[in-house]
Amino acid sequence: MIMIKKASNRLFAYTATVLTVIMFFTAPTLAQQTQADAFTRYELLAPTSQSFRIYYYVSATREGATRFYNQIRPGSEPDVHGVYDRMSGENLNWAIVDGNDAKGSGLIPNAQPDFQYIRVDLNRPVPNEGRGRLLIDKTYKDAKSYFEKDGTLIFSRTLGVKRNSVILPLNYELISVNYPSQVILREDGRLELSFINPGTIGVPYEVKARPIQAGILSVKLDKTSTNSNKQTSTRDVARVDYDIPQRASQTRDIFYFLQEPESNSFRLYHDYEEKREGIDRYLNVVRPGSKASNPSAKILDTGEVLKVETLHGEEITNRGIDIGEPVTNKTELVAIWFDPVETGQSKLLRIEETYTDAGRYFLTNKDEFLWDRSFGRSRNTVILPAGWVLTESSIPASVNMRQDGRTQLNFVNGRPDNIEVLIRGRRR
């Protein structure tokens, strides 16, 4: 079965079907599809509909790929509203196809014939070590995953994607959620649950909610407080004006590659999505005590290499660059420049540099190192130097051995605060 739909430049169904069949038999075989950066937002519709709208953000990463396949979960009735290129904001051509199409492309070699997929034509081939970023907008009807029982809304679904949020219908209060999640009141009065899965397999995520009197949550309240008493905590007063950042949707991954401890250095790269209209730069203020070297940057959507400058003290002031804090003669800034972001568009940057920090990464004796650093991002990965064994990690992490024999630690923090990570390792 091949059902053709297009978001733009619609053709007659017969012509589209013929073209699809031709492409099926002539498309070059590619290596297996790979992907990254997946985030799913579920907006629960009225429980009686047994339907929920899905905004699926994902990046194709197979170099040279011009298509991407998104499997439709068996048992779901899909209604695809559109597929969009997240860099340009443009509509992408898509079709609902069966497993034969997916398998024939070479991208999904194990596709079953009776499975359904959303096949997406990318705007540009995925560049080397780059991203083809997509947004798939669809509604599923799935009575097994979303239903009402004895007046209670139940959303029960195995979540294979690591980053997710679930938005309750308006005028529903949360009764329970079985995995630790942020709870955030949105501007429109709906409650949103934000969940990051720190593990390596999908989890059975279950949310229960019930109706609440209309208007209790829909009215935005003034974020001021009549309580002026000091609080018995490390803070002087409660954060009454604090807007909670939704962590699951954040895209600031960072990887640390520890060099030999004697060097006090680690190579790192971090990805950052810029969506603000008119922004033409990324500014990275180097932490006090650290020294940055060999910086580079590129746009992952296209592979374009960007201009990078390292500036110090008066150089920053003389260029009129606002870094959001006072500039001293010790201030070090890595500035990355790119064309301004246009309306409805975004750019995904990858920034690489080497940090030297003798105060946070060093040998405690000839056979043991210590690495101590604060993580502000939600997802952080640390790769130990070759020939070293992990002995301690102060913060829980998933651990795996890479193909190159180096130990990798993955830290996931679904909270909006920093985690203080201390790692020790010994020479093999």
Side-chain angles (χ1 to χ4, degrees):
M1 179 194 72
I2 300 178
M3 183 177 74
I4 302 295
K5 288 191 178 181
K6 290 207 170 188
S8 61
N9 301 322
R10 296 182 179 275
L11 301 176
F12 292 104
Y14 173 79
T15 304
T17 304
V18 171
L19 290 174
T20 302
V21 171
I22 292 173
M23 288 188 289
F24 172 80
F25 287 106
T26 61
T29 299
L30 293 172
Q32 185 170 341
Q33 174 173 293
T34 56
Q35 64 185 60
D37 308 329
F39 166 67
T40 306
R41 175 176 284 117
Y42 297 91
E43 294 196 0
L44 305 185
L45 305 180
T48 53
S49 71
Q50 300 178 325
S51 300
F52 42 90
R53 192 157 185 172
I54 297 175
Y55 297 92
Y56 181 49
Y57 299 79
V58 67
S59 295
T61 57
R62 173 60 59 198
E63 181 182 354
T66 57
R67 281 185 172 170
F68 181 82
Y69 287 84
N70 172 224
Q71 184 180 345
I72 296 170
R73 187 176 296 205
S76 298
E77 300 176 29
D79 181 10
V80 181
H81 307 295
V83 183
Y84 308 94
D85 182 298
R86 287 162 54 199
M87 179 185 180
S88 66
E90 296 174 349
N91 295 339
L92 295 177
N93 294 335
W94 60 272
I96 294 180
V97 301
D98 61 21
N100 290 323
D101 186 292
K103 186 173 183 178
S105 71
L107 291 170
I108 314 291
N110 297 322
Q112 300 300 310
D114 57 343
F115 282 7
Q116 286 187 305
Y117 293 83
I118 301 171
R119 187 189 67 201
V120 182
D121 295 326
L122 306 179
N123 263 359
R124 68 195 73 81
V126 176
N128 179 38
E129 297 183 349
R131 298 283 190 270
R133 293 184 297 130
L134 311 172
L135 167 58
I136 300 175
D137 179 5
K138 55 191 177 182
T139 293
Y140 277 5
K141 182 175 182 180
D142 189 341
K144 291 185 178 180
S145 295
Y146 182 45
F147 53 91
E148 193 171 28
K149 182 179 180 181
D150 299 329
T152 297
L153 170 161
I154 300 175
F155 177 76
S156 182
R157 193 171 178 85
T158 299
L159 302 183
V161 172
K162 303 303 181 188
R163 300 184 295 127
N164 306 269
S165 76
V166 177
I167 301 174
L168 302 182
L170 186 62
N171 298 321
Y172 272 79
E173 67 169 322
L174 178 66
I175 296 176
S176 68
V177 59
N178 65 336
Y179 280 87
S181 305
Q182 285 183 303
V183 180
I184 300 171
L185 180 61
R186 294 164 51 94
E187 292 286 335
D188 60 11
R190 292 181 295 169
L191 290 177
E192 180 172 13
L193 311 180
S194 175
F195 168 66
I196 303 178
N197 178 10
T200 58
I201 60 175
V203 298
Y205 195 72
E206 184 176 88
V207 176
K208 294 182 179 180
R210 66 184 179 189
I212 194 172
Q213 181 181 335
I216 290 179
L217 299 179
S218 60
V219 178
K220 183 179 179 182
L221 301 179
D222 184 19
K223 289 184 177 179
T224 59
S225 175
T226 58
N227 181 8
S228 60
N229 294 330
K230 297 271 184 165
Q231 304 298 306
T232 56
S233 70
T234 55
R235 259 179 244 103
D236 289 339
V237 296
R239 297 170 291 173
V240 293
D241 58 349
Y242 182 52
D243 287 320
I244 300 174
Q246 201 264 63
R247 292 287 272 182
S249 62
Q250 293 179 1
T251 56
R252 303 187 66 170
D253 293 350
I254 187 165
F255 284 73
Y256 298 91
F257 297 84
L258 304 190
Q259 309 300 303
E260 286 301 315
E262 293 88 345
S263 70
N264 307 122
S265 299
F266 43 93
R267 186 71 179 169
L268 64 85
Y269 74 77
H270 52 103
D271 297 345
Y272 173 67
E273 183 181 18
E274 182 56 77
K275 298 183 287 186
R276 296 171 295 173
E277 181 180 353
I279 297 298
D280 64 353
R281 67 195 67 180
Y282 178 87
L283 304 178
N284 179 28
V285 180
V286 179
R287 296 188 190 191
S290 296
K291 172 69 177 176
S293 60
N294 302 317
S296 64
K298 63 181 178 181
I299 297 177
L300 288 181
D301 304 280
T302 62
E304 177 190 355
V305 177
L306 300 176
K307 177 183 177 182
V308 180
E309 296 180 281
T310 302
L311 305 173
H312 300 86
E314 289 187 359
E315 292 178 307
I316 302 170
T317 303
N318 293 338
R319 293 280 293 274
I321 299 175
D322 181 8
I323 65 170
E325 61 184 66
V327 175
T328 71
N329 59 0
K330 294 184 178 180
T331 302
E332 183 175 356
L333 174 71
V334 177
I336 295 106
W337 306 94
F338 46 86
D339 293 334
V341 176
E342 298 182 12
T343 304
Q345 299 185 357
S346 67
K347 300 177 189 288
L348 184 63
L349 312 179
R350 171 160 292 176
I351 299 138
E352 298 189 47
E353 52 203 337
T354 296
Y355 268 34
T356 301
D357 191 338
R360 295 184 179 91
Y361 180 44
F362 51 87
L363 284 173
T364 56
N365 59 58
K366 66 182 181 65
D367 290 321
E368 184 176 67
F369 76 76
L370 182 147
W371 193 77
D372 192 353
R373 195 166 180 85
S374 174
F375 290 165
R377 293 175 174 85
S378 59
R379 287 163 294 151
N380 310 265
T381 300
V382 181
I383 296 96
L384 269 55
W388 290 80
V389 177
L390 173 67
T391 59
E392 291 184 319
S393 175
S394 64
I395 301 296
S398 61
V399 180
N400 62 280
M401 186 68 67
R402 294 161 52 92
Q403 289 186 346
D404 61 8
R406 301 173 69 177
T407 300
Q408 176 172 310
L409 296 89
N410 307 294
F411 297 90
V412 175
N413 180 22
R415 309 181 328 186
D417 55 356
N418 291 357
I419 54 176
E420 303 293 335
V421 177
L422 186 147
I423 298 172
R424 284 190 175 95
R426 289 189 182 177
R427 213 182 296 269
R428 293 185 189 278

